[in-house]
């Protein structure tokens, strides 16, 4: 394992970020995965863990076994758990931007992000649909980002992401499928050590259109994309009927499922394993993961938050770094 720590962003300070950060430190403090938090030390200390402010991320290595290392990010408004304040939007985005900078210049192994609220940021003028798009902009690769959700039993990639279902249908085309699949294929090789990825392409319509009787997108959009990807030499199957491709027997036949829209991908992943689910952004020059859940304002500050997904995200980021360093 590398001695270079991960950079963990604070997320929305009124959410469960501080609590799951404390829980993740408890779970990882005796192991090889280390991180430094870009956030507010006092918020994390509320959750009965020792906290130490540091001046540089390099100090995290010597601090981590004894306390949560924190690179301070100033908050503009008082924090009340469960009551988000857009006055802290700048601090939230600053935490992300600084984490990306640390990762891009090699001072951090990668970026792990605690959950943000898109609504809170949007009220403050945040122009991006979500974390994924903001990270791509910070890395100067807008449009190349691909969101993959992973748990021990399943990996999924939605082709269209944070748009309405009606708009997703308008945006779906062969080029989008081809681009996302090529990015995913390369990432599975470089960051996950899968040299010959098996990729399943989902259909869009019930029963994958059933030869056009329930929709023609499989014939006009998805099949041409599959043909182009197979011409690249990839192991591609599909289009699979979406209602049967997530059974245990079906999942054993592929390494990742390319899905046509957000919920087609996220519903099976979260149903199979919400606690170990991890969101990772492919197509960036840096490693980025996050827990596969939101800010959970309804339970913030009540001692109920489960840090398992954040722990899994931190471990996955370090594992990705190991694979990337070997390639």
């Amino acid at each position: 394992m590398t001695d270079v720590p991960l950079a963990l962003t604070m997320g929305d300070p009124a959410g469960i970020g501080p609590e799951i950060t404390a829980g993740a430190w408890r779970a990882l403090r005796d192991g090889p995965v280390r991180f430094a938090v870009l956030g507010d030390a006092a918020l994390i200390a509320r959750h009965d863990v020792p906290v130490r402010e540091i001046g540089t991320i390099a100090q995290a290595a010597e601090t981590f076994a004894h306390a949560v290392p924190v690179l301070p990010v100033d908050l503009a408004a008082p924090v009340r758990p469960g009551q988000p304040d857009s006055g802290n939007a700048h601090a939230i985005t600053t935490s992300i931007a600084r984490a990306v900078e640390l990762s891009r210049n090699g001072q951090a192994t990668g970026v792990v992000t605690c959950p943000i609220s898109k609504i809170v940021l949007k009220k403050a003028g945040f122009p991006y649909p979500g974390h994924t798009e903001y990270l791509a902009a910070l890395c100067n690769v807008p449009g190349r980002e691909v969101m993959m959700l992973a748990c021990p039993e399943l990996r999924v990639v939605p082709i269209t992401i944070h748009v309405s279902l009606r708009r997703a249908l308008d945006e779906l085309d062969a080029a989008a499928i081809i681009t996302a699949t090529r990015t995913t294929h390369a990432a599975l090789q470089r960051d996950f050590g899968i040299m010959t990825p098996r990729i399943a392409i989902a259909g869009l319509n019930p029963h994958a259109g059933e030869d056009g009787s329930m929709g023609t997108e499989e014939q006009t959009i998805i099949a041409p994309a599959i043909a182009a990807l197979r011409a690249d030499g990839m192991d591609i199957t599909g289009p699979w009927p979406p209602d049967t491709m997530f059974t245990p027997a079906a999942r054993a036949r592929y390494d990742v499922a390319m899905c046509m829209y957000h919920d087609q991908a996220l519903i099976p992943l979260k149903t199979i394993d919400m606690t170990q689910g991890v969101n990772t952004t492919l197509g960036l020059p840096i490693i980025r993961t996050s827990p596969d859940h939101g800010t959970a304002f309804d339970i913030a500050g009540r001692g109920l938050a489960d840090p398992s997904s954040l722990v899994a995200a931190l471990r996955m980021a370090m594992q990705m770094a190991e694979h990337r360093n070997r390639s």
Side-chain angles (χ1 to χ4, degrees), residues 207-222:
H207 302 201
E210 205 162 285
D211 294 325
S213 65
M214 296 185 185
T216 60
E217 285 83 1
E218 285 74 16
Q219 297 162 313
T220 61
I221 296 174
I222 301 174

Side-chain angles (χ1 to χ4, degrees), residues 1-6 31-34 61 106-110 287 317-319 321-322 325:
M1 288 276 186
T2 177
D3 288 332
V4 181
L6 296 162
V33 179
R34 301 183 183 93
Q107 293 178 269
T109 292
I287 290 166
M318 196 61 75
Q319 290 163 1
E322 289 185 318
N325 289 338

Side-chain angles (χ1 to χ4, degrees), residues 84-87 89 117-126:
D85 190 332
S86 60
S117 167
K118 300 175 185 65
I119 296 173
V120 170
L121 296 185
K122 188 175 181 179
K123 288 179 179 177
F126 186 66

Side-chain angles (χ1 to χ4, degrees), residues 16 115-116 118 147-158 161-162 246 251 254 257 259 261-280 288 290-296 306 309:
I16 60 172
I116 60 172
K118 300 175 185 65
M147 184 173 78
M148 184 174 81
L149 289 301
C151 68
E153 299 296 323
L154 178 66
R155 298 182 189 92
V156 293
V157 171
I161 308 179
H162 296 124
F246 299 108
R251 298 198 307 270
Y254 58 79
C259 301
Y261 55 93
H262 183 278
D263 284 6
Q264 189 184 62
L266 272 67
I267 287 173
L269 189 288
K270 293 187 176 184
T271 300
I272 290 168
D273 196 346
M274 181 76 172
T275 59
Q276 294 294 316
V278 176
N279 178 358
T280 181
R288 181 264 177 155
S290 74
D292 185 25
H293 59 69
T295 52
D306 184 350
S309 186

Side-chain angles (χ1 to χ4, degrees), residues 55-243:
T56 68
I57 195 169
Q59 295 173 289
E62 63 191 47
T63 302
F64 193 80
H66 311 289
V68 181
V70 178
L71 288 164
V73 175
D74 294 333
L75 297 169
V79 175
R80 293 178 290 275
Q83 300 179 46
D85 190 332
S86 60
N88 283 321
H90 179 70
I92 296 168
T93 57
T94 295
S95 174
I96 300 167
R98 287 181 60 191
V100 168
E101 181 181 6
L102 289 168
S103 187
R104 293 194 74 185
N105 66 25
Q107 293 178 269
T109 292
V111 175
V112 181
T113 57
C114 279
I116 60 172
S117 167
K118 300 175 185 65
I119 296 173
V120 170
L121 296 185
K122 188 175 181 179
K123 288 179 179 177
F126 186 66
Y128 301 96
H131 249 140
T132 303
E133 297 83 1
Y134 183 44
L135 289 159
L138 289 171
C139 292
N140 297 317
V141 289
R144 289 169 50 186
E145 69 276 11
V146 170
M147 184 173 78
M148 184 174 81
L149 289 301
C151 68
E153 299 296 323
L154 178 66
R155 298 182 189 92
V156 293
V157 171
I159 304 297
T160 60
I161 308 179
H162 296 124
V163 295
S164 70
L165 182 55
R166 187 179 300 279
R167 182 175 164 190
L169 297 176
D170 293 335
E171 291 186 359
L172 185 67
D173 59 24
I177 297 170
I178 292 167
T179 298
T181 304
R182 285 174 175 163
T183 298
T184 301
H185 186 274
L188 289 177
Q189 292 178 319
R190 180 178 66 170
D191 296 336
F192 293 86
I194 303 172
M195 291 301 99
T196 309
R198 301 167 301 161
I199 300 178
I201 309 288
L204 173 67
N205 298 298
H207 302 201
E210 205 162 285
D211 294 325
S213 65
M214 296 185 185
T216 60
E217 285 83 1
E218 285 74 16
Q219 297 162 313
T220 61
I221 296 174
I222 301 174
I226 289 174
L229 293 164
R230 286 175 176 162
D232 286 347
M234 297 184 194
D235 183 352
I236 305 289
T237 55
W240 292 52
D243 61 342

